[in-house]
Amino acid sequence: MKKRVGVIGVGNVGATIAYNLALKESCDEILLKDIREDYTKAVALDISQASCAINSKTKIEAVSNNADFKECNIIVITAGIARKPGMNRDDLLLTNAEIMKSIIEKIVKLNRDAIIIIVSNPLDAMVYTALKISKFPRNRVLGMAGILDSSRMSYFIQEKLGKKDIQALVLGGHGDEMVPLIDSTKADGISISKLLSQKQIDEIIEKTKNGGVEIVKLLKTGSAYYAPAHSTLLMIEAILNDEKKIYPCAVKLEGEYGFKDTVTGVPVVLGKNGVEKIVEYKLSLAEQKAFATSIKSVNTLINKVEKYIK
């Protein structure tokens, strides 16, 4: 069977995802959809011509009609307004919830077996919105965040320690209350708590939480896209190739970690069915407290969305 990936929202993140999928021949077909139809056609042409240089067999198509956006294995949604300097992810809530609701209502009928990956912010609340509107099971609606936050943490650790094999893990909501797991974070197999001072670790945590903000300030007219796109690509490939890899992703909890009817970032096994298992790490008391605080922050947004989408 052909592997088909649909990308809705062909801004910097969506276009970068499609470009890398095509050059790596990760799938057979890519459908691109955006309200800017001519722009989307231009992106499809540009990526198609780039992929011809390496004889990639992946077909890229710009789709205008909802009826042609169908039978996707995976749908990636990046659509929504992006942050500007001075904004946080939560400022986007109701506008992007309305956009998400409209998109999901249009695509679910012709993509009943699709796995949906959400990239739009505020991430956790948008995953919750997509779940409610699509009525898909929780294993087929998930969000990209933990991989990105963990990779940012790895970068800031490397700033302190130099190039090493960093294994970082960030859980919780994709926002200011994210939860870096220091006890589970290692450099060349050694806990960073043995390699760095508490002051240095605190600096890394703060930088990780503000990693996206720094890029927004520097760009002035947009937000990060290379790292978010690559993080999404890892999820897509793990699902399409049934890799059974463990990645931190935003998913709905149904009792795991002591919480339910909420969405947050936790380690999951990704395979052909989407989220095939939620991995429960043993958290320290401090991490449990931070995780509960993060959940509370996410639930504040979810409660606002719940009222809005009813």
Side-chain angles (χ1 to χ4, degrees):
M1 291 179 63
K2 287 189 175 182
K3 297 177 181 177
R4 179 180 291 174
V5 176
V7 179
I8 300 178
V10 191
N12 288 333
V13 175
T16 305
I17 292 168
Y19 175 74
N20 282 285
L21 284 171
L23 264 60
K24 293 184 70 177
E25 293 187 271
S26 301
C27 57
D28 301 295
E29 297 178 352
I30 303 168
L31 304 183
L32 301 180
K33 198 172 192 314
D34 194 287
I35 57 174
R36 302 166 296 173
E37 293 184 5
D38 285 346
Y39 174 85
T40 306
K41 290 177 183 177
V43 170
L45 280 170
D46 200 7
I47 295 174
S48 297
Q49 291 164 9
S51 64
C52 278
I54 58 167
N55 292 316
S56 169
K57 302 299 187 293
T58 300
K59 178 183 177 183
I60 305 98
E61 181 181 355
V63 176
S64 300
N65 299 320
N66 292 325
D68 295 325
F69 194 90
K70 61 184 180 181
E71 297 173 3
C72 293
N73 300 93
I74 296 174
I75 296 173
V76 179
I77 301 177
T78 74
I81 59 171
R83 279 193 293 171
K84 297 177 182 177
M87 295 177 71
N88 61 38
R89 295 179 181 91
D90 298 354
D91 292 333
L92 313 175
L93 181 63
L94 295 184
T95 297
N96 283 353
E98 177 60 35
I99 293 170
M100 185 64 62
K101 181 174 181 288
S102 175
I103 289 170
I104 296 296
E105 288 174 340
K106 290 173 182 175
I107 66 170
V108 290
K109 291 181 181 179
L110 297 177
N111 295 278
R112 286 293 180 188
D113 297 322
I115 292 166
I116 300 175
I117 298 176
I118 306 296
V119 184
S120 311
N121 278 315
L123 194 282
D124 308 274
M126 292 304 101
V127 173
Y128 186 86
T129 301
L131 271 165
K132 283 288 185 178
I133 301 301
S134 69
K135 295 181 173 57
F136 280 10
R138 66 169 179 162
N139 65 296
R140 293 203 285 119
V141 182
L142 61 159
M144 184 291 299
I147 301 175
L148 172 62
D149 295 331
S150 299
S151 67
R152 283 174 172 163
M153 187 176 177
S154 295
Y155 171 77
F156 294 124
I157 292 170
Q158 286 189 349
E159 278 191 329
K160 303 287 188 185
L161 296 176
K163 283 289 185 180
K164 294 183 181 294
D165 179 14
I166 308 295
Q167 295 177 320
L169 182 58
V170 179
L171 306 187
H174 184 51
D176 296 339
E177 304 296 340
M178 64 180 70
V179 186
L181 299 191
I182 300 304
D183 292 344
S184 301
T185 297
K186 298 178 181 180
D188 288 345
I190 302 171
S191 172
I192 63 166
S193 61
K194 296 180 179 179
L195 301 171
L196 298 167
S197 68
Q198 188 58 51
K199 181 181 178 182
Q200 289 175 313
I201 290 172
D202 290 342
E203 288 174 356
I204 288 168
I205 291 172
E206 192 62 25
K207 283 187 173 183
T208 300
K209 291 180 178 181
N210 293 299
V213 174
E214 182 180 4
I215 294 171
V216 169
K217 287 180 179 177
L218 291 169
L219 287 175
K220 297 181 176 62
T221 58
S223 55
Y225 52 97
Y226 290 121
H230 185 70
S231 299
T232 309
L233 180 69
L234 292 175
M235 294 170 66
I236 293 169
E237 292 183 331
I239 294 167
L240 289 179
N241 300 326
D242 195 26
E243 292 175 356
K244 313 294 187 188
K245 285 190 175 180
I246 298 176
Y247 289 123
C249 302
V251 297
K252 184 181 180 184
L253 299 184
E254 293 180 353
E256 297 84 4
Y257 290 92
F259 296 93
K260 58 183 178 180
D261 199 31
T262 190
V263 171
T264 198
V266 292
V268 304
V269 176
L270 289 183
K272 63 181 180 181
N273 298 310
V275 177
E276 303 207 340
K277 181 181 178 182
I278 291 178
V279 181
E280 294 193 65
Y281 276 62
K282 186 174 182 180
L283 306 182
S284 68
L285 289 176
E287 289 167 345
Q288 289 176 34
K289 184 177 179 180
F291 191 75
T293 299
S294 182
I295 292 287
K296 183 178 179 181
S297 178
V298 169
N299 284 344
T300 299
L301 300 181
I302 286 176
N303 290 338
K304 292 179 182 178
V305 167
E306 188 83 70
K307 296 175 183 177
Y308 187 71
I309 63 177
K310 279 185 177 179

